Amino acid sequence: MSMVKTPEEIALMREAGRVVANTLSAVRAHAGVGVSLKELDEVAAAFMGAAGAKPAFLNYRPRWASTSFSGVICTSVNDAVVHGIPDGYVLQDGDLLSVDCGAFVDGWCGDAAVSFIVGTVDPVDQELIDATDAALARGIEAARIGNKMGDLAYAIGGEAKRSGYGILADHGGHGIGRTMHAEPSVPNLGRPGRGVKLVEGLVIAIEPMLILGGSDDYYHDDDQWTLRSANGRRAAHSEHTVAITADGPVVLTLP
C-alpha cells in the first residue's frame, strides 16, 4: 500500500505536526474580543515562516473549487463549520471559533484543528466543543491495527449522534503524507466491521465536525469556501494527524 509510511517518514511527519500544533497554540493565544480573523492569519503566517514551514492551505485549489484558498489557516466562526476564510471579521464576545491549520516541513504534511470560545463561555457551546473533542479521542483510540475504517467511523460518530449532534454531511478525515489530502477517506459515520483495514504505518487525519440541533446539512457561503450549517446553529471542529503503529495510535500534531 502506497499509503503506508515507514517509521522514518512518520518521524518527519511528526516535525510537521509539531509546527502545526505550535501554530495553533500561537493563534489561540492571540485570539480575543476585538481581534480580526486576518490578524490571526498573520500570526500563523509569521509563526510558520519562522519555523521554516510552508502553509498547506494558502493558494490550495482542489478540483471542485472555483478559486484558490486565500488564507494560511481556516477560521470558522459560529455557524461556519469549516473552511472559513480569514478576513476582516472582528471577533465578538462569545464567538465560537474553529481554527484549522496545515503545514509542510521538508515535504511532509501535518494537519490539525481546534475549537474554542472567545470571551464569555456559553455552556451549550462548551458542551459542543467537548463532544467534538471526545469524538476525536474515540476515533484516535480506534485507530489500531486490525480494526476497519468503519470501526473508527462508528467510534467517532455513533455516540455523537446518540447525543443529538449533527455531523457535517459529505465531509470527514483523510490520508495524509506528501500531500495534504490522500487516500483513504476517513468518514465520521460508519458501521463497525466495514471498510478499509487499518494497517501499521497508515497515517490519517481524523476530524469530527459536530453541529448543534442534530442536522447534518450545510450550504456554501458566497465565498464558495465556507461551509455553514443549514439550520444556522453553531458548529465545532477538532482534528489530529495520527499514525497507526504497532504500539497503538500516535498523535503527530502535538507540541
Side-chain angles (χ1 to χ4, degrees), residues 232-252:
R233 301 292 300 276
R234 292 188 170 192
H237 178 201
S238 189
E239 178 182 15
H240 272 306
T241 297
V242 179
I244 297 171
T245 78
D247 297 321
V250 175
V251 178
L252 303 182

Side-chain angles (χ1 to χ4, degrees), residues 12-249:
L12 292 171
M13 293 188 71
R14 176 71 179 97
E15 294 309 308
R18 198 185 315 276
V19 170
V20 168
N22 289 331
T23 301
L24 285 172
S25 294
V27 169
R28 183 168 187 168
H30 193 81
V33 176
V35 176
S36 74
L37 301 180
K38 185 63 176 175
E39 288 177 71
L40 297 182
D41 198 58
E42 291 168 354
V43 168
F47 193 93
M48 284 192 201
K54 176 184 176 183
F57 298 168
L58 185 62
N59 298 320
Y60 179 63
R61 186 179 179 182
R63 284 176 293 179
W64 54 263
S66 59
T67 59
S68 299
F69 192 78
S70 59
V72 170
I73 53 176
C74 296
T75 50
S76 304
V77 181
N78 298 333
D79 65 323
V81 189
V82 287
H83 303 164
I85 297 174
D87 55 17
Y89 177 82
V90 174
L91 291 167
Q92 307 296 307
D93 186 44
D95 277 345
L96 195 167
L97 174 63
S98 299
V99 182
D100 193 357
C101 178
F104 284 95
V105 174
D106 294 329
W108 293 96
C109 192
D111 189 7
V114 63
S115 294
F116 56 92
I117 298 165
V118 177
T120 305
V121 175
D122 183 320
V124 173
D125 291 343
Q126 188 59 56
E127 288 174 6
L128 168 66
I129 293 171
D130 292 345
T132 308
D133 290 344
L136 174 61
R138 291 192 301 270
I140 293 170
E141 176 60 26
R144 295 181 178 273
I145 297 170
N147 279 353
K148 292 196 173 178
M149 196 64 76
D151 299 316
L152 190 154
Y154 182 77
I156 294 169
E159 179 63 28
K161 273 295 184 183
R162 287 190 292 272
S163 298
Y165 293 105
I167 297 177
L168 183 67
D170 309 322
H171 290 77
H174 49 88
I176 185 170
R178 286 287 192 182
T179 60
M180 179 168 56
H181 293 133
E183 293 297 328
S185 174
V186 183
N188 289 324
L189 283 171
R191 297 178 62 182
R194 303 290 183 89
V196 174
K197 188 174 182 179
L198 306 183
V199 297
E200 184 175 359
L202 183 64
V203 181
I204 53 177
I206 303 173
E207 50 178 325
M209 294 155 274
L210 271 55
I211 303 170
L212 288 172
S215 172
D216 305 338
D217 298 332
Y218 66 93
Y219 67 93
H220 281 88
D221 211 345
D222 291 341
D223 62 23
Q224 299 301 308
W225 275 97
T226 307
L227 303 185
R228 295 190 181 275
S229 61
N231 63 4
R233 301 292 300 276
R234 292 188 170 192
H237 178 201
S238 189
E239 178 182 15
H240 272 306
T241 297
V242 179
I244 297 171
T245 78
D247 297 321

